[in-house]
Each structure stands twice: as C-alpha cells, then as structure tokens.
C-alpha cells in the first residue's frame, strides 16, 4: 500500500498546479495524481505540416473526438454546447487560447448589485493579491490603465496589435466603444526561463515555443523543485471516507491499470467543473449515499459554460490570419448591467485575428459559403486570410437544472461512469447573445467587413466548466465554504472552477488560479485548526 | 466488399472518393493548382482518414445511393445532382468527407504556394506581427472608470 501523504491533490491542471505550488512551502508531504501524462513540446501540432488537421484528431478540443487514453468520454448529447477540455499535466491550460482576464469586482456581488443569483463569499479585494501573485507566476502580458478594471500591472508588455487588432481598434473608436489589449498568458519577452512568443499562431493546441503559460511549464517545475510529487497516468475512481466521515484517501488506477489506494490526511479536488462532480458523485458510501460532500444536493448542479455568440466577416486586404496568437483585444463596453437592456448582467467581446487556410476551408465549406466545383478557387481566394471575427462571451447565470450527473451506461476505459451533461440556454442568455450579435455586426461594419456569418452558440464552446460545487457560507445552499473546504467533510477541499458561484462574462482561468492560491493560503493560515 | 486496405477503403470506395474529391476541388489552370484528385493529394487524403473513416465510408455509400449506383460510374450530371443533394442534407457524414479532402488539399505545397504562403509548419520560424499604432488607445485611456464598485 502507498504511504500516507499529508495532502493528496487530484488533477494537475490550472488549479491543482497552483495549490500544489502554494502548499509546498509548508513542507508537508504533497502528492498529486493526474490521469494524463506530461506533454512534449515536440509533439505539439505546430511542429508539422498537419498542424491544422490535428485539431480534428489527437488535439481535438472535444475529449469524445480526441479520445486519447487519458481522456474520459462525456455524454453531452443533451446540451447545445459541447464540453471541451484537455487531460494531462497542465490540464486544459495545455489547450486554451491563454486569454486571461480577471473577473470584475461586480462579478462577486451579483445579488447585491443586480438582484440575481447569489453573491460570492469572497470579493475582488480579497482575491486581488492572489490575482497579482498568479499573474507573476503565470507570466501575463498586458497593459496597465484599462478603465474597465481597478488598477493592475501585468508583468509583461502586451501582444502587438497587428493588422487585425488595429482594424478592430479603429472600428471601436469609430463607435466610441471600449477596447483594450487583452491580458494574455503568453510571454512577450523572455520570462523566467520561457522564450518569448514568435507568433506560431496556433496557440490553442499547445505552444511548441513554450511562450504560452500552461502549468506544466509554470507552476509544476517550481512545485516539484519544492518537493511536491506528481504521479501521472493515475486515474482516480473515488474518494474514500473513514468511520468518522473524513476523507481517508483515493482509489485510483495506475499506469498499468492496477487498482491502488492512496491514503491521505487532506484531499484537494482540482478536476474541473465536470470532473470534480463526477468524482464526488461516484464516491458513494454509507455516510454519503448521495455522493461525497453532497448534503446540499448541489454537487453537479448549477453548471455554467459561458455561451459564446461568434460573429465574423471578411475584409478586402489580407490580415494576420493564423500568424499570431488568435485573440488580441477585449471590450467591456457591455459588461456591466444596464437597466435599459432586456437582460441582466452582461458580456465581454473578445476579438480574433483570423484563422488558417485549412480551417478557413473547412469552416466555410460547412457554412455553405465555399462552393464545390469550378468556382471553388475564386471564392476561396476571397476568404482565406481575410476573416476577422469577435465573440460575445456571455455571463451564464446558475440554474440547478443545468447539471452534471453520472451516465448510467457510458463508462471510461477503467469502467468508471462517465459524466452526463444536461444543459439548456436561459432566456436571459439568449437575449444577451442576440444583443451581442447585433453589436458585433456593428463592429464588423465599422471595420469594413462584409459577408457576415454567425455561430451562436459556438457548438464546441464548452471550455469553461463552472459552478457544480459552488462555494458559500450556507451549507444548505453550497458545497464548500468561503475558503474551499467542504461543509460536510472537513478535510476535503475543492479548488477548481466548480466552486464558482456565478460565471462572470470572461474567461475564468485567471480567477480559478487566483482562487486556488487564496484557498491554499487560507489552509496555511489555519493549519493548526484546519479541521475544526 | 473488396478491400485493398488503402486507408481502410475498398477499391470501389477509393474510386468514389477520388471522384468526389475532384468534384469538390477541381484542378485549375487559371490558378495553376492541382485538383484534390491529384495523385499525391489523394494519397494524403486516404492516409489521413483516421477518426473520419467510418463517416467517410457512410458518406460514400450515401452518395452512391443518391446517384442511383456506384458514384464514380455515373455521368457528370447525375453525380452533380447527387453531390448537391448530399451537401444539402448536412450532418456528420458531409462534414467528415469535406474535412478529409480539404485538410489535405490546403496543406499541399503547390496549393499553399499558390496562395502566397510558405509551405512550412509554424514552428520554429514563427511569423512577424507588426506592433501597430498604440496611439489608437488614447480615446479609451481618456474614459472615466467603467467598473462598478462592489460593496
């Protein structure tokens, strides 16, 4: 049997890496179990001529399509938005665009300010030092002075505007609307041993240059140097409990498929908003017949995705296309609630530079924009390199019927029940998306784009998996308390996106990691009374 | 069904696939590019079917059904009518067939060069991105704070 560890972290992605690094200075014995493996930069698609095609095979964003041994299937048939993720050391930071905004102060007080959903039990001011620490550890590029945020100072200069960014900037100025260079987890100068971005452009499926901040090259090297053990290709099946109702460890399958038990004094869940409820619901015992930490009945409920309304068009001159990091700017013009609109809360715009030649052909073929036959070449040459687009990333309010459960039939390669997602778009979200589409069309018109198309919601757009084990002070209305500890199991912590109370309207990774650092710090402050 | 193991397709399926690939993206003297039925491009298509093999096989079967017989053996008019009906149906089969052809066609050296692009992977050379005019931000910098204070 494995020796008992002080802290067992499950999942080596965005939050697991951050909490491991932060806890390392306690000198406790810390182990992380990760179902995937280390990634090799030489394996990333941008090394080969098939770099775009691999987004449809071993680097597909959908785990169902990708189907690597590290992946587990997800039944998302009953959802208009499909789950996307990546499993491996680094988790979905291996496969994200690295767009890295913080949540705003108002996002933590939605009930107080707007009368919807619930306030968070923490606020922006509490998290501010952890945002800053995370941005330093991650290596974030950006520009101070954005009027949409309280003052902050990204450690590196922003990505260049490029042709696409400048065109959007001119359009937004023409409309009098806010825009700003995005905070991005991409190194623009040499940073802590990382090489700067050289515009490989195909950032999402892994950065061969190492400029994009995935946690396998940020937090993990530091955590391992500090003594944390990371054990890969170990898939956890369930969290076990002892006769006192405390977590006692985890049962997992090792790289050879052999069932093992790992005892632990503290268990930290960092498996994302789908993986964490899956594991909790699969951890059934006499003490916890409805799943671990689920006395509220809220484990798996309140799933939030961020519906994306994407609008794009084509301009006459070739722009940056795929030859730079895909996202360059954001706009918070429509972020805060405006009572004159027919929806509450709001959305951010994120602006895309363009897409590569294969992707353009596939997308335009699917949309019926690109004909087969003799006219194919003429039409294609008016499209390739000329696409610009923007997406409204809409705040998704929590609704209990949007949920993750265990599929009664589908199982992963180890026989563990797969997660099943049931999700519908709310009327508030649909109105918000319509508003975003209309405004985006105005932006594209101002940018001189024609031949406009809309994808709403983006089908494979379930990047952000939030809310399924929400935090709160009331044990009947939340799964973990204000510092991430389970209300029911006092040595069980959750640090991933499942603890979000509301989603905000921006990419969540920056906030997920800041929260993980905050929870780790809270644990360190309370070591003597951690289980009280 | 006869199977020559080329990408898991039978000889008849290969013939149909090559035929529809050439219809999808024909050769062009105007743009000095081969068609997707070019020998090298077609070999790449067949070798790259991977996860799409099942859907591509079903797509070819559907095309033949719509054409009223082996797709490649029909006259041009029948094939074009069947192909149009096939595209109109949409779905996973159509997406897979198009993807299988287009992902290989648009990475062929001759085709990539014809677009004015370099036939190479992004790494390690990368690309150059112009900095742009940051004075465009001046009107935004001048705005008052936009975030809401949260009690």
């Amino acid at each position: 049997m494995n020796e008992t560890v002080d802290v067992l972290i499950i999942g080596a992605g965005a939050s697991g890496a951050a909490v491991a690094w932060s806890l390392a200075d306690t000198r406790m014995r810390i182990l992380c179990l990760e179902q995937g493996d280390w990634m090799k930069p030489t394996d990333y698609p941008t090394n080969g001529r098939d770099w775009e095609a691999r987004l449809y095979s071993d680097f597909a964003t959908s785990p169902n399509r990708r189907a690597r041994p590290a992946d587990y299937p997800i039944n998302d048939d009953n959802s208009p938005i499909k789950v996307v993720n990546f499993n491996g050391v680094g988790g979905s930071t291996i496969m994200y665009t690295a767009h890295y905004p913080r949540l705003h102060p108002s996002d933590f007080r939605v009930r107080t300010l707007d009368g919807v959903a619930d306030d968070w039990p923490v606020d922006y001011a509490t998290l501010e030092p952890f945002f800053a620490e995370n941005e330093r550890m991650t290596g974030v590029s950006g520009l101070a002075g954005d009027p949409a945020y309280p003052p902050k100072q990204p450690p590196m200069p922003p990505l260049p505007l490029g042709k696409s960014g400048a065109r959007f900037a001119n359009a937004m100025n023409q409309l009098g609307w806010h825009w700003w260079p995005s905070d991005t987890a991409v190194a623009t100068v040499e940073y802590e041993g990382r090489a700067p971005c050289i515009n490989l452009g195909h950032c999402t499926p892994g950065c061969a240059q190492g400029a994009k901040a995935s946690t396998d090259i940020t937090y993990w090297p530091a955590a391992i140097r500090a003594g944390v053990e990371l054990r890969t290709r170990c898939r956890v099946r369930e969290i076990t409990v002892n006769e006192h109702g405390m977590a006692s460890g985890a049962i997992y399958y090792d790289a050879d498929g052999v069932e093992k038990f790992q005892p632990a004094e503290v268990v930290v869940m960092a498996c994302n908003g789908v993986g964490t409820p899956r594991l909790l619901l699969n951890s059934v015992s006499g003490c916890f017949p409805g799943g671990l930490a689920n006395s509220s009945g809220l484990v798996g409920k309140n799933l939030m995705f961020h519906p994306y309304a994407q609008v794009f068009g084509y301009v006459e001159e070739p722009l940056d296309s795929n030859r730079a990091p895909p996202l360059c700017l954001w706009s918070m013009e429509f972020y805060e609630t405006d009572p004159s609109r027919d929806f509450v809360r709001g959305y951010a715009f994120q602006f895309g530079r363009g897409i590569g030649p294969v992707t353009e052909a596939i997308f335009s073929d699917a949309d019926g924009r690109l004909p087969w036959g003799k006219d194919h070449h003429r039409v294609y040459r008016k499209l390739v390199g000329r696409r610009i687009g923007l997406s409204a990333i809409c705040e998704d309010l929590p609704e209990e019927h949007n949920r993750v459960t265990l599929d009664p039939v589908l199982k992963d390669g180890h026989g563990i029940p797969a997660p099943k997602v049931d999700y519908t778009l709310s009327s508030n979200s649909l109105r918000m998306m319509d508003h975003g589409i209309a405004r985006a069309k105005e932006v594209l018109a101002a940018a001189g784009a024609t031949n406009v198309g809309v994808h709403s919601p983006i089908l494979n757009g379930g990047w952000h998996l939030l809310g399924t084990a929400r935090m709160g002070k009331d044990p009947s209305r939340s799964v973990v308390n204000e510092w991430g500890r389970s209300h029911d199991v006092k040595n069980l912590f959750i640090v991933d996106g499942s603890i979000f109370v509301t989603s905000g309207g921006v990419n969540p990774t920056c906030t997920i990691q800041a929260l993980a650092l905050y929870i780790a710090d809270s644990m360190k402050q309370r070591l003597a009374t951690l289980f009280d | 069904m006869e199977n020559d193991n080329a990408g898991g397709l039978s000889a008849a399926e290969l013939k149909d696939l090559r035929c529809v690939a050439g219809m999808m993206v024909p050769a062009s003297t105007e743009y000095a590019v081969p068609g997707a039925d070019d020998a090298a491009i077609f070999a790449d298509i067949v070798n790259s079917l991977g996860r799409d093999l099942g859907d591509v096989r079903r797509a070819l079967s559907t095309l033949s059904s719509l054409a009223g017989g082996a797709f490649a053996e029909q006259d041009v008019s029948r094939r074009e009518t069947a192909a149009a009906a096939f595209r109109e149906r949409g779905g996973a089969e159509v997406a897979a067939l198009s993807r299988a052809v287009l992902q290989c066609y648009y990475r062929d050296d001759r085709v990539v060069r014809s677009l004015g692009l370099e036939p190479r992977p992004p790494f390690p050379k990368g690309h150059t991105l112009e900095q742009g005019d940051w004075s465009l931000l001046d009107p935004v910098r001048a705005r008052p704070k936009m975030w809401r204070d949260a009690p």
Side-chain angles (χ1 to χ4, degrees):
Chain A
M1 193 172 86
N2 292 308
E3 289 181 26
T4 301
V5 296
D6 296 311
V7 180
L8 172 62
I9 300 168
I10 303 171
S15 61
V19 81
W21 170 78
S22 179
L23 289 177
D25 61 21
T26 62
R27 304 284 180 185
M28 292 191 289
R29 183 170 177 189
I30 301 168
L31 166 67
C32 178
L33 296 178
E34 164 56 47
Q35 63 191 329
D37 214 336
W38 287 94
M39 301 303 294
K40 288 188 286 189
T42 49
D43 287 341
Y44 289 141
T46 49
N47 289 282
R49 289 294 303 282
D50 56 354
W51 53 280
E52 289 185 275
R54 288 179 70 192
L55 263 180
Y56 301 97
S57 57
D58 62 333
F59 277 89
T61 53
S62 164
N64 296 335
R65 170 86 182 175
R66 191 172 59 236
R68 288 170 174 247
D71 292 317
Y72 54 90
I74 298 173
N75 180 353
D76 51 15
D77 292 346
N78 193 30
S79 172
I81 298 173
K82 308 304 179 188
V83 175
V84 297
N85 67 13
F86 195 81
N87 296 301
V89 179
S92 295
T93 65
I94 297 292
M95 203 152 180
Y96 73 152
T97 58
H99 204 236
Y100 213 68
R102 300 177 180 184
L103 259 63
H104 296 64
S106 64
D107 292 323
F108 300 91
R109 289 291 178 269
V110 298
R111 166 62 67 179
T112 299
L113 292 172
D114 299 320
V116 293
D118 287 302
D119 289 345
W120 291 50
V122 293
D123 59 17
Y124 185 93
T126 303
L127 290 182
E128 203 290 327
F130 302 99
F131 276 126
E133 183 173 43
N134 177 57
E135 287 159 4
R136 180 184 62 77
M137 280 299 292
T138 296
V140 173
S141 59
L143 187 66
D146 186 348
Y149 276 101
K152 56 188 170 64
Q153 181 61 61
M156 282 182 275
L159 291 164
L161 283 175
K163 288 187 174 69
S164 306
R167 186 174 276 257
F168 274 129
N170 275 303
M172 296 298 277
N173 284 350
Q174 194 179 317
L175 293 163
W177 291 349
H178 169 265
W179 65 275
W180 201 260
S182 302
D183 286 359
T184 308
V186 171
T188 50
V189 296
E190 287 192 12
Y191 189 82
E192 299 289 331
R194 276 164 51 205
C197 176
I198 54 172
N199 301 304
L200 303 181
H202 200 53
C203 302
T204 302
C207 179
Q209 170 79 347
K212 186 177 87 169
S214 46
T215 60
D216 59 328
I217 61 171
T218 57
Y219 280 104
W220 274 117
I224 290 169
R225 278 196 298 273
V228 176
E229 180 188 357
L230 173 54
R231 210 176 286 163
T232 59
R233 299 177 64 198
C234 294
R235 172 170 283 152
V236 174
R237 187 182 75 198
E238 61 184 279
I239 311 301
T240 55
V241 292
N242 61 22
E243 65 275 21
H244 307 295
M246 299 284 275
S248 56
I251 298 171
Y252 69 98
Y253 296 99
D254 71 9
D256 298 319
V258 177
E259 183 180 316
K260 297 274 180 66
F261 175 63
Q262 177 58 59
E265 302 293 345
V266 172
V267 175
V268 180
M269 308 282 295
C271 313
N272 79 43
V274 169
T276 286
R278 177 202 188 198
L279 202 43
L280 292 174
L281 292 171
N282 202 46
S283 301
V284 174
S285 63
C287 290
F288 301 100
L292 194 59
N294 196 23
S295 66
S296 65
L298 292 176
V299 170
K301 293 182 179 172
N302 296 304
L303 173 67
M304 298 174 282
F305 273 137
H306 286 139
Y308 273 79
Q310 183 187 62
V311 188
F312 57 93
Y314 295 87
V315 297
E316 290 293 324
E317 65 159 341
L319 298 177
D320 299 320
S321 182
N322 62 294
R323 296 183 293 276
L327 298 173
C328 48
L329 313 175
W330 66 41
S331 170
M332 304 298 171
E333 184 68 27
F334 306 104
Y335 196 84
E336 303 288 354
T337 292
D338 179 344
S340 70
R341 298 184 199 130
D342 62 354
F343 57 88
V344 289
R345 306 297 297 157
Y347 60 88
F349 274 132
Q350 54 187 44
F351 297 80
R353 296 183 197 272
I355 57 179
V358 166
T359 311
E360 182 62 62
I362 291 172
F363 282 13
S364 284
D365 177 87
D367 287 344
R369 183 177 284 105
L370 183 60
W372 291 11
K374 190 174 155 223
D375 213 25
H376 177 96
H377 300 289
R378 182 189 65 79
V379 173
Y380 180 74
R381 280 158 175 76
K382 287 185 175 298
L383 302 175
V384 65
R386 289 160 172 80
R387 177 190 288 233
I388 53 173
L390 66 163
S391 294
I393 165 173
C394 298
E395 173 154 356
D396 197 1
L397 289 168
E399 298 177 282
E400 289 192 18
H401 62 85
N402 290 331
R403 65 193 186 276
V404 177
T405 54
L406 296 180
D407 192 282
V409 177
L410 189 64
K411 292 181 169 46
D412 68 19
H414 291 91
I416 305 170
K420 179 176 186 293
V421 171
D422 292 279
Y423 176 90
T424 55
L425 289 162
S426 71
S427 55
N428 190 68
S429 291
L430 289 168
R431 288 193 294 271
M432 196 185 306
M433 292 160 78
D434 286 345
H435 187 276
I437 291 166
R439 300 293 84 72
K441 286 179 176 175
E442 291 181 60
V443 175
L444 287 171
T450 58
N451 199 7
V452 169
V454 175
H455 294 151
S456 180
I458 297 178
L459 179 68
N460 285 306
W463 287 282
H464 308 152
L465 312 172
L466 308 169
T468 50
R470 66 206 314 235
M471 64 194 319
K473 291 180 178 172
D474 179 355
S476 70
R477 296 294 306 143
S478 55
V479 176
V480 297
N481 70 7
E482 63 272 34
W483 43 284
R485 192 183 72 179
S486 160
H487 291 299
D488 301 347
V489 184
K490 296 197 184 307
N491 63 342
L492 176 69
F493 292 79
I494 304 176
V495 296
D496 57 58
S498 57
I499 64 175
F500 274 41
V501 179
T502 54
S503 71
V506 293
N507 316 60
T509 305
C510 172
T511 305
I512 289 172
Q513 293 184 295
L515 266 174
L517 294 179
Y518 159 73
I519 291 169
D521 188 70
S522 300
M523 292 169 73
K524 289 189 282 190
Q525 302 295 329
R526 295 171 167 87
L527 275 182
T529 57
L530 196 59
F531 307 146
D532 289 351
Chain B
M1 184 179 283
E2 183 189 353
N3 190 327
D4 72 353
N5 288 323
L9 298 178
S10 70
E13 288 170 329
L14 287 167
K15 198 171 178 184
D16 287 346
L17 178 58
R18 191 163 187 171
C19 180
V20 72
M23 287 176 65
M24 194 183 296
V25 191
S28 167
T29 50
E30 182 183 358
Y31 295 102
V33 287
D37 54 353
D38 167 85
I41 295 171
F42 186 65
D44 189 18
I45 293 169
V46 171
N47 289 328
S48 303
L49 289 175
R51 288 162 173 77
D52 284 326
L53 175 63
D55 277 331
V56 168
R57 293 190 77 172
R58 284 185 283 278
L60 296 172
S61 172
T62 301
L63 275 170
S64 289
S65 295
L66 290 167
F71 183 75
E73 305 300 329
Q74 307 305 308
D75 62 36
V76 173
S77 168
R78 249 189 149 142
R79 291 200 309 260
E80 286 184 343
T81 302
F86 174 72
R87 282 196 90 189
E88 185 66 28
R89 292 163 65 128
E93 294 172 14
V94 179
L97 181 64
S98 297
R99 184 167 55 237
V101 172
L102 295 169
Q103 71 182 6
C104 295
Y105 185 78
Y106 283 108
R107 69 184 182 214
D108 178 83
D109 284 5
R110 295 160 293 175
V111 176
V112 173
R113 283 199 186 93
S114 81
L115 298 171
L117 303 173
E118 293 178 84
R120 64 170 175 87
F123 188 79
K125 282 179 68 176
H127 302 97
T128 302
L129 183 65
E130 62 188 51
Q131 193 57 235
D133 176 9
W134 286 106
S135 71
L136 286 165
L137 260 183
D138 290 348
V140 190
R141 288 182 197 275
R143 291 179 68 141
K145 88 173 180 71
M146 297 167 63
W147 78 87
R148 281 191 289 174
D149 291 317

